[in-house]
Amino acid sequence: MMKIKAMTTGFVLLGVVGLLLLTASCAMDPVSGRPTLMLLSEDKEVQMGRQTDQQVVRQYGLYKDAKLAAYIDDLGQRLAKVSHRPELSYNFKVLDVAVVNAFAVPGGYVYMTRGILAHLNSEAELAGVMGHEIGHITARHSAEQYSKAMLANIGLAAGMILAPSLQGLGSVVQVGVSALFLKFSRDNEREADSLGVEYANRVDYDGGQMANFFETLERMNPGSDRTGLPAWFSTHPNPEDREAAVRGYAKKWQEKLDQKDPKIERERYLRQIDGIVYGEDPRQGYVENNVFYHPGLTFLFPVPSEWKVVNTPAQVQILSPKKDAVILFSMVSGTSPKETASSFVQKSQARVIQADAIRVHGLSAYRLISDVGTQSGVVRAMSYFIQKDKYIYVFHGISSPSLFGDYQAAFGDTMGGFKHLSDRNRINVRPDRIGVRTAERSATVRNALLSLGVPEKDIEKTALLNGKTADERIPANTLLKIVERGR
Ligand SMILES: [Zn+2]
């Protein structure tokens, strides 16, 4: 909930897939050279990529670091040029999310999270992973995935304003983006690994270094983050003997390309990510003791206990434990609470049951209770439109009409609890960051980290973050990542 987007209602449409027309055609697989049945022409693929990109950026937000973005783009463009589809126009972006993942969407869009960048340990590992994602595009895995997702979603997404089914509310609210995260098959993964190594080696890196990253990930096994973006292994399943296979591909390409000493560039890489935000960034909103705080926009509101909060740049979703009710929270630019409410009623064709101008902790507001028709029936919504500073903050608490009585109090407590945040300590929170330090003497990783001030309890984790074990010996003047605590 950091970026400001002009939306006319809080019901965010995430339905890219449904906007596109299906055209089946027979295309050549650029990697294998074999014809494949493709529901997408290249034009459509690129058009879809562009639309999806807008959604991805709105949903997850870009990490604001122009130097890092340029560095990632530069490496990406070099890899793309030696790929099997060099004519595509590629875009490489760093997303401002903590989760460790990377993904590609059709048409040449590749995303790295700041989480994955914090966990990689050399330019060669980075090249392998970016090559892997480019491989999903050149082998048209994501296009095939999209074709399948589209078949499953025809008619579902285009006109959807509200979740069509309350049972699956949580997943449906995110339908457009979750379609991106269909799992690749193990065969797809094997092929993308092989292509990733090939592209990395073709630009003179040791693509086999990617295996180190997979080993680190398996040992850490990080989960998803507050945005709900899944982690690497839930979208890129491990093929058998992945690391050995990756090292094997690298050996093959080194011989084929007659490379003596392909680059690893550990130090160069670590210098690039020195200072990158690590873990959740509390400046984008955080929950503590059942209160959601937004330091940047200076507001807070209570969250019902046990409800699940998913916080993305576009929207906060708060889901009841039984997943049969949800509170959606977003901000819009509007002239007044009343006008924003009327515009919502008009757009959603809601049947208004109750409407009144109110004040919420001194802020001018408008409250609605209405029934809204969806594809699978009517839902009842309590909505608050609250003016604070330049924005109208919008809450919609939604359940079926029969359950609405059970949730009305919880909705009202959250929405009526919205207020200005004035606590300086909460406003001035700082995120954790990766700091890159020099271990001056030859030592075990444990002793080096201890001498850099890392507490004993964090030694194992920090060693892993460096792709090392605590007992491993390192030579003098080795660079090590540590986590600099914020807050
Ligand atoms: Zn993959």
Side-chain angles (χ1 to χ4, degrees), residues 1-5 7 58-60 226-227 281-286 292-299 301 310-317 328-332 391-394 418:
M1 236 336 270
M2 189 66 192
K3 283 90 195 173
I4 292 107
K5 293 291 127 81
M7 286 178 281
R58 189 176 81 179
Q59 180 82 1
Y60 297 107
R226 64 165 170 80
T227 63
D281 187 342
R283 296 172 301 178
Q284 296 167 349
Y286 63 99
F292 182 92
Y293 296 95
H294 200 298
L297 298 166
T298 60
F299 65 75
F301 59 81
V310 176
N311 177 18
T312 72
Q315 190 187 45
V316 181
Q317 297 162 15
L328 305 176
F329 174 73
S330 60
M331 61 194 289
V332 301
Y391 305 108
I392 311 286
Y393 290 90
V394 183
F418 181 91

Side-chain angles (χ1 to χ4, degrees), residues 215-334:
E215 280 168 359
T216 305
L217 266 195
E218 278 167 47
R219 286 163 64 209
M220 295 189 105
N221 198 20
S224 69
D225 73 356
R226 64 165 170 80
T227 63
L229 187 74
W232 176 276
F233 285 129
S234 57
T235 53
H236 303 72
N238 248 356
E240 256 177 42
D241 296 323
R242 182 172 215 164
E243 288 83 11
V246 163
R247 294 193 171 105
Y249 305 140
K251 197 161 169 271
K252 185 189 85 183
W253 280 103
Q254 272 182 50
E255 283 163 16
K256 215 165 173 171
L257 299 168
D258 196 20
Q259 288 172 316
K260 296 272 162 325
D261 204 8
K263 292 187 289 186
I264 294 178
E265 299 286 19
R266 180 173 179 278
E267 295 208 353
R268 205 176 111 87
Y269 179 72
L270 294 180
R271 296 285 182 212
Q272 292 291 334
I273 58 157
D274 192 3
I276 195 172
V277 171
Y278 181 73
E280 302 291 359
D281 187 342
R283 296 172 301 178
Q284 296 167 349
Y286 63 99
V287 178
E288 208 172 279
N289 299 325
N290 296 319
V291 177
F292 182 92
Y293 296 95
H294 200 298
L297 298 166
T298 60
F299 65 75
L300 65 88
F301 59 81
V303 171
S305 72
E306 316 279 303
W307 288 42
K308 186 176 175 243
V309 178
V310 176
N311 177 18
T312 72
Q315 190 187 45
V316 181
Q317 297 162 15
I318 309 162
L319 197 63
S320 70
K322 288 185 189 156
K323 296 188 162 66
D324 53 2
V326 68
I327 300 172
L328 305 176
F329 174 73
S330 60
M331 61 194 289
V332 301
S333 47

Side-chain angles (χ1 to χ4, degrees), residues 12-285:
V12 179
L13 301 176
L14 291 175
V16 240
V17 277
L19 300 174
L20 295 149
L21 293 171
L22 284 179
T23 44
S25 66
C26 202
M28 272 315 177
D29 183 323
V31 172
S32 66
R34 286 191 303 269
T36 54
L37 175 70
M38 202 51 78
L39 290 167
L40 282 173
S41 67
E42 187 160 308
D43 283 354
K44 283 272 186 282
E45 183 188 338
V46 169
Q47 182 196 348
M48 177 186 273
R50 205 177 307 128
Q51 288 180 338
T52 308
D53 175 60
Q54 289 170 4
Q55 300 250 347
V56 167
V57 170
R58 189 176 81 179
Q59 180 82 1
Y60 297 107
L62 296 179
Y63 183 64
K64 287 191 183 58
D65 180 337
K67 233 182 92 202
L68 186 63
Y71 169 74
I72 296 297
D73 186 64
D74 172 71
L75 178 56
Q77 299 302 343
R78 280 189 279 145
L79 291 161
K81 217 169 281 167
V82 299
S83 79
H84 293 85
R85 296 177 76 187
E87 76 293 346
L88 263 187
S89 133
Y90 287 84
N91 290 270
F92 299 90
K93 300 187 177 182
V94 180
L95 297 180
D96 193 4
V97 291
V99 73
V100 180
N101 209 342
F103 59 96
V105 304
Y109 292 85
V110 174
Y111 305 89
M112 306 292 289
T113 65
R114 64 171 165 76
I116 202 171
L117 296 182
H119 284 79
L120 291 167
N121 276 296
S122 69
E123 219 160 74
E125 285 182 25
L126 174 66
V129 169
M130 291 181 76
H132 173 106
E133 296 304 328
I134 293 170
H136 280 309
I137 293 175
T138 57
R140 306 192 70 149
H141 298 154
S142 48
E144 281 170 44
Q145 293 275 332
Y146 257 68
S147 300
K148 284 180 202 155
M150 284 164 67
L151 287 174
N153 276 310
I154 292 169
L156 183 110
M160 191 182 76
I161 289 194
L162 278 172
S165 149
L166 278 171
Q167 271 116 34
L169 204 54
S171 54
V172 172
V173 170
Q174 297 198 58
V175 67
V177 170
S178 65
L180 296 175
F181 300 122
L182 291 179
K183 242 182 167 175
F184 288 116
S185 69
R186 287 193 163 76
D187 283 342
N188 283 172
E189 282 305 295
R190 201 170 297 125
E191 190 175 25
D193 281 351
S194 158
L195 292 169
V197 169
E198 176 184 344
Y199 302 159
N201 275 77
R202 281 191 187 279
V203 292
D204 205 26
Y205 291 102
D206 175 7
Q209 294 292 315
M210 180 166 51
N212 300 350
F213 170 67
F214 292 140
E215 280 168 359
T216 305
L217 266 195
E218 278 167 47
R219 286 163 64 209
M220 295 189 105
N221 198 20
S224 69
D225 73 356
R226 64 165 170 80
T227 63
L229 187 74
W232 176 276
F233 285 129
S234 57
T235 53
H236 303 72
N238 248 356
E240 256 177 42
D241 296 323
R242 182 172 215 164
E243 288 83 11
V246 163
R247 294 193 171 105
Y249 305 140
K251 197 161 169 271
K252 185 189 85 183
W253 280 103
Q254 272 182 50
E255 283 163 16
K256 215 165 173 171
L257 299 168
D258 196 20
Q259 288 172 316
K260 296 272 162 325
D261 204 8
K263 292 187 289 186
I264 294 178
E265 299 286 19
R266 180 173 179 278
E267 295 208 353
R268 205 176 111 87
Y269 179 72
L270 294 180
R271 296 285 182 212
Q272 292 291 334
I273 58 157
D274 192 3
I276 195 172
V277 171
Y278 181 73
E280 302 291 359
D281 187 342
R283 296 172 301 178
Q284 296 167 349

